[in-house]
Amino acid sequence: MNDSMQPRAATLDELDALARLWLAGWTDGHLALVPAALARLRTLDQFRDRLAANLTEVRVLGEVGAPLGFCMLRE
């Protein structure tokens, strides 16, 4: 398997790229289904803050600095 497809720890430098991925995925999968009040809360900054607060729990696929996807498990 290619190294870029091995899960790895996220880095602080990737927070913006990861937040953009999360916002794009959330928008695609949820925007049409949730109340407008919730959609207004889901901003790029909000996703970035959530990632930063849980960075040790984030695993990324893709080259460092160019993430293709990620997961975050809590508790």
Side-chain angles (χ1 to χ4, degrees), residues 4-41:
S4 69
M5 298 313 281
Q6 292 292 324
R8 61 175 176 78
T11 67
L12 280 173
D13 294 340
E14 296 177 299
L15 283 177
D16 290 333
L18 292 169
R20 285 190 300 272
L21 280 173
W22 195 355
L23 178 60
W26 188 92
T27 299
D28 184 54
H30 295 89
L31 188 61
L33 305 173
V34 300
L38 177 59
R40 284 190 295 276
L41 297 174

